[in-house]
Amino acid sequence: MKGLEIMEGKRKKSLAQIKEETMDLLYKRMGCPRQMVEQHLDTPLTGTPFFFLDIDMVYLLFETEKYFGIQIPEEKLLEYGFSTVNHIVELVGNYLLEP
């Protein structure tokens, strides 16, 4: 999927850009240092070193949906599609790529 471009509004985005913007959300909205996020892209957000609570995950979900202008289906949440940074990036990318 690397290098794949998607349209959001009039702007094209790659998965790399979605990843950067997701890391920005974690930094700006959740207070996570970028270096820590970059080192733990596949680490569950509810575990070490993030320790997000249920309410943190809900807040991150709402912020992600608002920022990218999408609504993430409940089944994706139940399948742990929103559990790591890379899963979030993949989920957002897949959702925006759907026709």
Side-chain angles (χ1 to χ4, degrees):
M1 283 199 224
K2 191 174 181 181
L4 197 57
E5 293 185 343
I6 58 176
M7 293 293 293
E8 183 184 347
K10 295 182 179 183
R11 225 170 93 188
K12 286 186 178 181
K13 290 188 179 189
S14 67
L15 286 179
Q17 289 170 310
I18 293 171
K19 180 178 169 182
E20 285 298 315
E21 292 171 6
T22 301
M23 289 193 302
D24 282 346
L25 279 174
L26 284 163
Y27 172 67
K28 293 176 182 174
R29 301 288 188 217
M30 307 302 289
C32 297
R34 282 188 66 85
Q35 184 177 8
M36 180 182 80
V37 174
E38 289 171 358
Q39 293 173 351
H40 299 281
L41 296 173
D42 290 312
T43 301
L45 295 170
T46 54
T48 307
F50 299 102
F51 298 109
F52 282 9
L53 302 174
D54 296 349
I55 192 71
D56 299 322
M57 293 300 291
V58 170
Y59 181 70
L60 180 59
L61 172 66
F62 289 156
E63 287 296 317
T64 301
E65 289 180 329
K66 183 171 117 181
Y67 182 85
F68 289 105
I70 63 173
Q71 186 172 9
I72 297 170
E74 181 180 350
E75 62 268 10
K76 297 298 182 186
L77 302 175
L78 296 174
E79 296 167 359
Y80 298 98
F82 201 80
S83 59
T84 70
V85 175
N86 278 338
H87 284 159
I88 294 170
V89 170
E90 182 179 333
L91 180 62
V92 170
N94 286 340
Y95 186 86
L96 292 176
L97 288 170
E98 287 183 358

Coordinates of all heavy atoms in Angstrom, one line a residue, residues 4-41:
L4 N 0.4 4.5 -2.2 CA -0.9 4.6 -2.7 C -1.5 5.9 -2.3 O -1.3 6.4 -1.2 CB -1.7 3.4 -2.0 CG -3.0 3.0 -2.7 CD1 -2.8 2.6 -4.1 CD2 -3.6 1.8 -1.9
E5 N -2.2 6.5 -3.2 CA -2.8 7.8 -3.0 C -4.3 7.8 -2.9 O -4.9 7.0 -3.5 CB -2.4 8.8 -4.0 CG -0.9 9.1 -4.0 CD -0.5 10.2 -5.0 OE1 -1.3 10.5 -5.9 OE2 0.6 10.8 -4.9
I6 N -4.8 8.6 -2.0 CA -6.3 8.7 -1.8 C -6.7 10.1 -1.9 O -5.9 11.0 -1.8 CB -6.7 8.1 -0.5 CG1 -6.0 8.8 0.7 CG2 -6.5 6.6 -0.5 CD1 -6.5 8.3 2.0
M7 N -7.9 10.3 -2.2 CA -8.5 11.7 -2.3 C -9.2 12.0 -1.0 O -10.0 11.2 -0.6 CB -9.4 11.8 -3.5 CG -8.8 11.6 -4.8 SD -7.6 12.9 -5.2 CE -8.8 14.3 -5.4
E8 N -9.0 13.1 -0.5 CA -9.8 13.6 0.6 C -10.0 15.1 0.3 O -9.1 15.9 0.3 CB -9.0 13.6 2.0 CG -9.9 14.0 3.1 CD -9.2 14.0 4.4 OE1 -8.1 13.5 4.5 OE2 -9.8 14.6 5.3
G9 N -11.3 15.4 0.0 CA -11.6 16.7 -0.5 C -10.9 16.9 -1.9 O -11.0 16.0 -2.8
K10 N -10.1 17.9 -2.0 CA -9.3 18.1 -3.3 C -7.9 17.7 -3.1 O -7.1 17.9 -4.0 CB -9.5 19.6 -3.7 CG -10.9 20.0 -4.0 CD -10.9 21.4 -4.5 CE -12.3 21.8 -4.8 NZ -12.4 23.1 -5.3
R11 N -7.5 17.2 -2.0 CA -6.1 16.9 -1.7 C -5.8 15.4 -1.8 O -6.6 14.6 -1.3 CB -5.9 17.3 -0.2 CG -4.6 18.1 0.0 CD -4.7 18.6 1.4 NE -4.0 17.7 2.3 CZ -4.0 17.8 3.6 NH1 -4.6 18.8 4.2 NH2 -3.4 17.0 4.3
K12 N -4.8 15.0 -2.4 CA -4.4 13.6 -2.4 C -3.5 13.4 -1.2 O -2.7 14.2 -0.8 CB -3.5 13.3 -3.7 CG -4.3 13.3 -4.9 CD -3.5 12.8 -6.1 CE -4.3 12.7 -7.3 NZ -3.5 12.2 -8.5
K13 N -3.7 12.2 -0.7 CA -2.9 11.8 0.5 C -2.4 10.4 0.3 O -3.1 9.5 -0.3 CB -3.7 11.8 1.8 CG -4.1 13.1 2.2 CD -4.7 13.0 3.6 CE -5.1 14.4 4.1 NZ -5.5 14.4 5.5
S14 N -1.2 10.1 0.8 CA -0.7 8.7 0.8 C -0.9 8.1 2.2 O -1.2 8.9 3.1 CB 0.8 8.8 0.4 OG 1.5 9.4 1.4
L15 N -0.7 6.8 2.2 CA -0.7 6.2 3.6 C 0.3 6.8 4.5 O 0.1 6.9 5.7 CB -0.6 4.7 3.4 CG -1.9 4.0 2.9 CD1 -1.6 2.5 2.8 CD2 -3.1 4.3 3.8
A16 N 1.5 7.2 3.9 CA 2.5 7.8 4.8 C 2.0 9.1 5.4 O 2.3 9.4 6.5 CB 3.8 8.0 3.9
Q17 N 1.3 9.9 4.6 CA 0.7 11.1 5.1 C -0.4 10.8 6.2 O -0.4 11.5 7.2 CB 0.1 11.9 4.0 CG 1.1 12.6 3.1 CD 0.5 13.2 1.8 OE1 -0.3 12.5 1.1 NE2 0.9 14.4 1.5
I18 N -1.2 9.8 6.0 CA -2.2 9.4 7.0 C -1.5 9.1 8.3 O -1.9 9.4 9.3 CB -3.1 8.3 6.5 CG1 -3.9 8.8 5.3 CG2 -3.9 7.8 7.6 CD1 -4.7 7.7 4.6
K19 N -0.4 8.3 8.1 CA 0.4 7.9 9.3 C 0.9 9.1 10.0 O 0.8 9.2 11.3 CB 1.6 7.0 8.9 CG 2.4 6.5 10.0 CD 3.5 5.6 9.4 CE 4.6 5.3 10.3 NZ 5.6 4.4 9.7
E20 N 1.5 10.1 9.3 CA 2.0 11.3 9.9 C 0.9 12.1 10.6 O 1.1 12.6 11.8 CB 2.7 12.2 8.9 CG 4.0 11.7 8.4 CD 5.1 11.7 9.6 OE1 5.2 12.6 10.4 OE2 5.8 10.7 9.7
E21 N -0.2 12.2 10.0 CA -1.3 12.9 10.6 C -1.9 12.2 11.8 O -2.3 12.8 12.8 CB -2.4 13.2 9.5 CG -1.9 14.2 8.5 CD -2.8 14.4 7.3 OE1 -3.9 13.8 7.3 OE2 -2.4 15.1 6.4
T22 N -1.9 10.9 11.8 CA -2.3 10.1 12.9 C -1.4 10.3 14.1 O -1.8 10.5 15.2 CB -2.5 8.6 12.6 OG1 -3.4 8.5 11.5 CG2 -2.9 7.8 13.7
M23 N -0.1 10.3 13.8 CA 0.9 10.5 14.9 C 0.7 12.0 15.4 O 0.9 12.2 16.6 CB 2.3 10.3 14.4 CG 2.6 8.8 14.1 SD 4.3 8.4 13.9 CE 4.8 9.3 12.5
D24 N 0.4 12.9 14.6 CA 0.2 14.3 15.0 C -1.0 14.3 16.0 O -1.0 15.0 17.0 CB -0.1 15.2 13.8 CG 1.2 15.7 13.1 OD1 2.3 15.4 13.7 OD2 1.1 16.2 12.0
L25 N -2.1 13.6 15.6 CA -3.3 13.5 16.5 C -2.9 13.0 17.9 O -3.3 13.5 18.9 CB -4.4 12.6 15.9 CG -5.3 13.2 14.9 CD1 -6.2 12.1 14.3 CD2 -6.1 14.4 15.4
L26 N -2.1 11.9 17.9 CA -1.6 11.3 19.2 C -0.8 12.3 20.0 O -0.9 12.3 21.2 CB -0.9 10.0 18.9 CG -1.7 8.8 18.5 CD1 -0.9 7.7 17.9 CD2 -2.5 8.3 19.7
Y27 N 0.0 13.1 19.3 CA 0.8 14.1 20.0 C 0.0 15.2 20.5 O 0.0 15.6 21.7 CB 1.9 14.5 19.0 CG 2.7 15.7 19.6 CD1 3.5 15.5 20.7 CD2 2.7 17.0 19.0 CE1 4.3 16.6 21.2 CE2 3.4 18.0 19.6 CZ 4.2 17.8 20.7 OH 4.9 18.9 21.2
K28 N -0.8 15.8 19.6 CA -1.5 17.1 19.9 C -2.7 16.8 20.8 O -3.0 17.6 21.7 CB -1.9 17.8 18.6 CG -0.8 18.3 17.8 CD -1.2 18.9 16.5 CE 0.0 19.4 15.7 NZ -0.4 19.9 14.4
R29 N -3.4 15.7 20.6 CA -4.7 15.5 21.3 C -4.5 14.6 22.5 O -5.2 14.7 23.5 CB -5.7 14.9 20.4 CG -6.1 15.8 19.3 CD -6.9 17.0 19.7 NE -7.4 17.7 18.5 CZ -7.5 19.0 18.5 NH1 -7.1 19.7 19.5 NH2 -7.9 19.6 17.4
M30 N -3.5 13.7 22.5 CA -3.3 12.7 23.5 C -2.0 12.9 24.3 O -1.8 12.2 25.3 CB -3.3 11.3 22.9 CG -4.5 11.0 22.1 SD -6.1 11.2 22.9 CE -6.1 9.8 24.0
G31 N -1.2 13.8 23.9 CA 0.0 14.1 24.6 C 1.1 13.1 24.5 O 2.0 13.0 25.3
C32 N 1.1 12.3 23.5 CA 2.1 11.2 23.3 C 3.3 11.8 22.5 O 3.1 12.3 21.4 CB 1.5 10.0 22.5 SG 0.2 9.2 23.3
P33 N 4.5 11.7 23.1 CA 5.7 12.1 22.3 C 5.8 11.4 21.0 O 5.7 10.2 20.9 CB 6.8 11.8 23.3 CG 6.2 11.6 24.6 CD 4.8 11.1 24.4
R34 N 6.1 12.1 20.0 CA 6.3 11.5 18.6 C 7.3 10.4 18.6 O 7.0 9.4 17.9 CB 6.6 12.6 17.6 CG 5.5 13.5 17.2 CD 5.8 14.4 16.0 NE 6.1 13.7 14.8 CZ 5.2 13.3 13.9 NH1 4.0 13.5 14.1 NH2 5.6 12.6 12.8
Q35 N 8.4 10.6 19.2 CA 9.4 9.6 19.2 C 8.9 8.3 19.8 O 9.2 7.2 19.3 CB 10.7 10.0 19.9 CG 11.8 9.0 19.8 CD 13.1 9.5 20.5 OE1 13.1 10.6 21.2 NE2 14.2 8.8 20.3
M36 N 8.1 8.4 20.9 CA 7.6 7.2 21.5 C 6.6 6.5 20.5 O 6.6 5.3 20.4 CB 6.8 7.5 22.8 CG 6.2 6.3 23.5 SD 5.3 6.8 25.0 CE 3.8 7.3 24.3
V37 N 5.8 7.3 19.9 CA 4.8 6.7 18.9 C 5.5 6.0 17.8 O 5.1 4.9 17.4 CB 3.8 7.9 18.4 CG1 2.9 7.3 17.3 CG2 3.0 8.5 19.6
E38 N 6.5 6.7 17.2 CA 7.3 6.1 16.1 C 7.9 4.8 16.5 O 8.1 3.9 15.7 CB 8.4 7.1 15.6 CG 7.8 8.3 14.9 CD 8.8 9.4 14.6 OE1 10.0 9.2 15.0 OE2 8.4 10.4 14.0
Q39 N 8.3 4.6 17.7 CA 9.0 3.4 18.2 C 8.0 2.3 18.5 O 8.3 1.1 18.7 CB 9.8 3.7 19.4 CG 11.0 4.5 19.1 CD 11.7 4.9 20.4 OE1 11.3 4.7 21.5 NE2 12.9 5.6 20.2
H40 N 6.7 2.6 18.6 CA 5.7 1.6 19.0 C 4.5 1.6 18.1 O 3.3 1.6 18.6 CB 5.2 1.9 20.5 CG 6.4 1.9 21.5 ND1 6.8 0.7 22.0 CD2 7.2 2.8 22.0 CE1 7.8 0.9 22.8 NE2 8.1 2.2 22.8
L41 N 4.7 1.6 16.8 CA 3.6 1.6 15.9 C 2.7 0.4 15.9 O 1.5 0.5 15.5 CB 4.2 1.8 14.4 CG 4.9 3.1 14.2 CD1 5.6 3.1 12.8 CD2 4.0 4.3 14.4

